[in-house]
């Protein structure tokens, strides 16, 4: 069953003295009941970490599969979330992110706040990204307030929320979407925290099952990044889902015949440099061209690129087949563009899962 879950303010980019900007809101509805935010820019220059590197940064030797360091206090669930995200980031050509105790504390407190206020969220209609100061367990209205209360100082940040209390599955669910994938695979993302919670068995009955479980990842981001290219699905990847059901709100541009589409394909750049798409193909077994949509923050009718008003990031474009892909099949993506005055040819392949979803 799918159902709308929340409205979430986008993360922010601001100088320490500047107020958080007014932000576009997102809502998400999908089988995994996910919610997340993308990015927004506020006034003033920002030195994201600068001299504010957290004192609780973990030692480099505390590393397991997937890369990235974690604090000694990290729980098994927190480590699993870090590992799963870093496996995907490394496969996509990105450096692993680190996990810090202050963001774990912030994320865990908010996950517990959500489930302990299950009935309050269900009746009040408040976004799960926000907290009400009159409810028990309050630590901050917005996620950046909660980060600062936990001792984490940063100028650019994000938050994603799911409702499963399953760290690995939550990460996989976020990655499967369009808008909610972007902050996790953003080259600027540097540090995260994870929290998971389930409503206590002795708690008063709550009819809003959606809030019985919660997963929260709070994200610390740099203001700039190297000019890398992030492709998803990654080049040479396997077992990629064959489809996307469109259950994300605001909903991505639907195919003419409606959902499902093929799996969401994204290109993210590290730097905001002007680009113009000159050609694009999605090929089955490297030969058969498939009809598809391609969208960016700005339209280009000459290249059949549509404008997606919710891709408010000039570093991103996305394409997806008009119908679900075939199981166990090789696909090639080709995108040609002129970027920052020079030609850029992107070509990569992936293989779908052997079970069609």
């Amino acid at each position: 069953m799918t159902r709308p879950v929340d409205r979430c303010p986008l993360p922010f980019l601001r100088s320490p003295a500047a107020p958080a900007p007014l932000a576009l809101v997102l809502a998400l509805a999908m089988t995994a009941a996910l919610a997340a935010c993308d990015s927004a820019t506020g006034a003033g220059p920002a030195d994201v970490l600068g001299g504010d590197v957290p004192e609780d940064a973990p030692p480099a030797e505390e590393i397991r599969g997937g890369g990235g360091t974690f604090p000694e206090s990290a729980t098994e669930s927190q480590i699993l979330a870090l590992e799963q995200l870093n496996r995907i980031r490394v496969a996509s050509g990105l450096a692993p992110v680190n996990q810090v105790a202050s963001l774990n504390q912030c994320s865990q407190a908010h996950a517990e706040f959500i489930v302990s206020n299950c009935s309050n969220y269900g009746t009040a209609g408040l976004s799960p990204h926000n907290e009400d100061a009159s409810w028990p367990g309050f630590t901050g209205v917005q996620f950046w307030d909660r980060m600062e209360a936990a001792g984490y100082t940063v100028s650019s940040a994000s938050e994603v929320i799911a409702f499963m209390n399953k760290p690995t599955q939550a990460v996989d669910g976020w990655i499967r979407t369009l808008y909610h994938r972007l902050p996790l695979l953003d080259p600027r993302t540097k540090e995260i925290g994870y929290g998971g919670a389930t409503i206590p068995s002795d708690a008063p009955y709550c009819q809003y099952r959606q809030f019985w479980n919660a997963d929260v990842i709070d994200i610390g981001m740099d203001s700039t990044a190297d000019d890398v290219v992030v492709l998803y699905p990654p080049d040479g990847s396997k077992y990629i889902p064959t489809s996307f059901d469109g259950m994300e709100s605001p909903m991505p541009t639907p195919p003419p015949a409606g959902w499902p589409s093929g799996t969401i394909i994204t290109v993210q750049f590290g730097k905001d440099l002007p680009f113009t798409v000159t050609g694009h193909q999605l090929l089955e077994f490297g030969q058969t061209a498939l009809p598809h949509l391609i969208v960016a923050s700005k339209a280009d009718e000459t290249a059949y690129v549509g404008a997606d008003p919710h891709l408010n990031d000039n570093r991103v474009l996305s394409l997806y087949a008009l119908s679900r892909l075939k199981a166990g099949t090789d696909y090639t993506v080709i995108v040609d563009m002129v970027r920052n005055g020079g030609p850029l040819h992107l070509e990569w392949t992936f293989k779908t899962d052997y079970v069609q979803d």
Side-chain angles (χ1 to χ4, degrees):
M1 177 179 179
T2 60
R3 58 190 297 182
V5 297
D6 82 326
R7 306 186 64 80
C8 69
L10 298 178
F12 63 100
L13 178 62
R14 61 182 173 93
S15 63
L22 294 176
L24 179 68
V25 292
L26 296 176
L28 174 65
M30 58 184 304
T31 303
L34 308 175
C37 301
D38 193 25
S39 60
T41 301
D47 180 6
V48 175
L49 294 181
D52 295 319
V53 178
E55 294 181 357
D56 56 8
E61 63 268 17
E62 292 183 353
I63 301 174
R64 298 194 339 183
T69 60
F70 55 88
E72 183 178 355
S73 59
T75 66
E76 183 67 14
S77 291
Q78 289 168 336
I79 298 170
L80 288 174
L82 176 71
E83 290 179 328
Q84 187 65 3
L85 175 56
N86 279 337
R87 289 188 189 102
I88 298 169
R89 284 180 61 89
V90 171
S92 302
L94 289 164
V97 295
N98 295 325
Q99 192 174 80
V100 296
S102 56
L103 289 180
N104 277 347
Q105 173 188 335
C106 176
S107 300
Q108 184 63 39
H110 187 54
E112 293 174 1
F113 183 88
I114 290 172
V115 300
S116 65
N117 288 283
C118 173
S119 294
N120 286 334
Y121 275 110
T123 56
L126 182 70
S127 165
H129 289 276
N130 298 338
E131 293 187 4
D132 188 311
S134 67
W135 299 353
F138 174 81
T139 56
V141 174
Q142 305 285 0
F143 60 85
W144 54 84
D145 299 325
R146 299 190 291 271
M147 287 180 176
E148 292 177 356
Y152 189 83
T153 302
V154 70
S155 297
S156 184
S158 184
E159 179 179 82
V160 292
I161 298 176
F163 301 95
M164 294 178 279
N165 193 16
K166 296 179 179 180
T168 300
Q169 293 91 325
V171 170
D172 288 344
W174 289 315
I175 293 295
R176 191 167 178 176
T177 67
L178 172 52
Y179 310 120
H180 305 81
R181 173 191 302 167
L182 301 180
L184 296 177
L185 296 188
D186 196 313
R188 300 172 304 175
T189 293
K190 301 299 180 184
E191 296 174 321
I192 69 161
Y194 169 83
T198 293
I199 193 168
S201 58
D202 58 352
Y205 178 74
C206 174
Q207 64 178 312
Y208 304 99
R209 296 175 63 93
Q210 176 182 328
F211 303 112
W212 285 11
N213 301 284
D215 310 78
V216 178
I217 285 184
D218 286 321
I219 302 168
M221 309 172 81
D222 208 340
S223 57
T224 61
D226 293 336
D227 193 26
V228 298
V229 182
V230 184
L231 307 175
Y232 194 87
D235 187 26
S237 57
K238 300 178 180 179
Y239 304 105
I240 300 300
T242 62
S243 68
F244 177 63
D245 59 10
M247 289 289 100
E248 186 176 14
S249 179
M251 183 182 291
T253 304
W259 304 102
S261 70
T263 196
I264 298 291
I265 300 165
T266 51
V267 177
Q268 291 174 264
F269 295 106
K271 291 188 179 297
D272 183 0
L273 299 174
F275 67 82
T276 302
V277 176
T278 58
H280 45 90
Q281 297 183 78
L282 177 59
L283 305 175
E284 183 180 290
F285 288 119
Q287 297 179 339
T288 305
L290 299 182
H292 59 274
L293 291 173
I294 182 167
V295 294
S297 60
K298 299 176 183 177
D300 185 350
E301 295 182 1
T302 61
Y304 302 100
V305 177
D308 186 326
H310 308 297
L311 282 179
N312 59 336
D313 189 335
N314 295 326
R315 302 173 303 138
V316 176
L317 63 86
S318 175
L319 65 90
Y320 37 100
L322 300 189
S323 58
R324 60 165 46 97
L325 303 178
K326 294 180 181 177
T329 302
D330 294 322
Y331 290 91
T332 300
V333 186
I334 301 173
V335 179
D336 287 292
M337 63 178 65
V338 175
R339 184 168 183 261
N340 201 31
L344 176 61
H345 177 78
L346 301 174
E347 182 171 343
W348 74 102
T349 63
F350 65 89
K351 191 181 191 73
T352 51
D353 197 350
Y354 290 92
V355 176
Q356 191 165 46
D357 50 25

